């Protein structure tokens, strides 16, 4: 597609349930990033992929969070046993692999609300 | 580790007034610096970036930023604010330490008064 696509755009779930958030990057972009945006907290780095590998997953908050990327394209962020503090907007971004200088192209995010 | 500090979570200016959004960074290597903007209900988009070429960087919509190594700053300015500039602005840094990831500041929300 023309831009980064994320789904669902909104997700309301009950505490303890698992959720999956999907990101479809711009075609040809080899790098893919997940960030979490909480009110007043800016963007918190979670994980990034180069191809299907995740060289840096240091930002994942706990072992309840995991992510994968298949075919060098679509990525899924999974949150198991959701907690209320997981409520946030989860942003996905992609870029051409140009090391540190590349522009990140963001999707509109998936807003997660845990009741 | 690299980090970014944005001074002021909220900035309010009158239409036509100077916009100044402050950003200071911490990096042990020459950094790459970015400003992104997030309009209401939209994703983030790049305003401008510094990648060790000219220290004064011009971006879209009349914004510019100056890299000052001695002050470890990368403040964003616009001579005359427009109502359409109301948005949240994020300063970001990336570099060779900490891996190939971009670290964002907490953001500054700009309000423009008529």
């Amino acid at each position: 597609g023309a831009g980064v696509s994320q789904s669902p755009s909104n997700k309301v779930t009950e505490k303890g349930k698992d959720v999956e958030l999907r990101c479809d990057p711009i075609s040809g972009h080899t790098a893919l990033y997940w960030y979490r945006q909480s009110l007043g907290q800016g963007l918190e780095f979670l994980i990034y992929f180069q191809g299907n590998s995740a060289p840096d997953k240091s930002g994942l908050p706990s072992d309840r969070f995991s992510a994968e990327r298949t075919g060098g394209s679509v990525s899924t962020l999974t949150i198991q046993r959701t907690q209320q503090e997981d409520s946030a907007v989860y942003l996905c971004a992609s870029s051409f692999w140009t090391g540190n200088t590349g522009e990140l192209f963001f999707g509109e995010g998936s807003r997660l609300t845990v009741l | 580790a690299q980090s970014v500090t944005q001074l002021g979570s909220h900035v309010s200016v009158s239409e036509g007034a100077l916009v100044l959004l402050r950003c200071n960074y911490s990096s042990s290597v020459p950094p790459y610096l970015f400003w992104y903007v997030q309009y209401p209900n939209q994703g983030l988009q790049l305003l401008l970036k510094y990648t060790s070429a000219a220290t004064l960087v011009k971006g879209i919509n009349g914004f510019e930023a100056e890299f000052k190594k001695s002050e470890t700053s990368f403040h964003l300015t616009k001579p005359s604010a427009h109502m359409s500039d109301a948005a949240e602005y994020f300063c970001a840094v990336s570099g060779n330490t900490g891996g190939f990831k971009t670290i964002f500041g907490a953001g500054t929300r700009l309000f423009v008064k008529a």
Side-chain angles (χ1 to χ4, degrees):
Chain A
V4 177
S5 178
Q6 292 188 245
S7 61
S9 55
N10 279 286
K11 175 71 175 178
V12 179
T13 191
E14 294 180 348
K15 178 181 173 181
K17 301 284 189 182
D18 297 352
V19 297
E20 285 190 352
L21 307 176
R22 175 188 167 106
C23 174
D24 198 346
I26 293 172
S27 178
H29 281 191
T30 58
L32 185 148
Y33 305 77
W34 284 99
Y35 288 87
R36 180 166 69 176
Q37 185 177 22
S38 304
L39 194 62
Q41 299 297 314
L43 274 69
E44 175 188 6
F45 169 81
L46 298 179
I47 187 172
Y48 92 93
F49 291 89
Q50 171 58 13
N52 292 334
S53 300
D56 190 340
K57 52 180 77 172
S58 62
L60 294 177
S62 73
D63 59 8
R64 295 187 296 104
F65 287 73
S66 63
E68 65 174 12
R69 188 180 185 193
T70 56
S73 181
V74 172
S75 175
T76 302
L77 177 67
T78 301
I79 309 173
Q80 296 179 309
R81 305 181 303 281
T82 52
Q83 303 294 311
Q84 288 183 332
E85 61 262 30
D86 299 335
S87 295
V89 177
Y90 290 82
L91 295 171
C92 176
S94 69
S95 74
F96 289 110
W97 182 244
T98 55
N100 298 318
T101 63
E103 173 183 356
L104 299 185
F105 293 82
F106 282 84
E108 294 190 1
S110 292
R111 180 177 297 278
L112 174 65
T113 303
V114 182
L115 302 177
Chain B
Q2 295 169 307
S3 65
V4 171
T5 301
Q6 292 185 241
L7 301 177
S9 59
H10 297 84
V11 170
S12 182
V13 301
S14 298
E15 192 173 22
L18 172 71
V19 175
L20 171 60
L21 304 182
R22 299 177 186 274
C23 172
N24 289 88
Y25 69 91
S26 172
S27 177
S28 59
V29 297
Y32 300 112
L33 295 159
F34 308 81
W35 277 98
Y36 284 82
V37 60
Q38 186 177 32
Y39 296 105
N41 300 315
Q42 294 186 27
L44 279 79
Q45 59 182 277
L46 182 70
L47 261 184
L48 50 82
K49 67 179 180 181
Y50 166 77
T51 57
S52 75
T55 57
L56 181 63
V57 181
K58 295 187 183 299
I60 61 172
N61 299 335
F63 284 93
E64 62 182 36
E66 186 172 9
F67 171 69
K68 291 188 176 179
K69 184 178 179 180
S70 62
E71 298 178 8
T72 61
S73 69
F74 191 57
H75 302 330
L76 181 70
T77 60
K78 182 175 180 177
S80 177
H82 191 273
M83 297 296 288
S84 61
D85 295 327
E88 187 148 23
Y89 293 80
F90 293 92
C91 183
V93 63
S94 69
N96 289 323
T97 62
F100 294 111
K101 63 189 180 191
T102 302
I103 303 298
F104 287 80
T108 297
R109 183 165 295 279
L110 176 66
F111 297 93
V112 182
K113 300 174 293 187

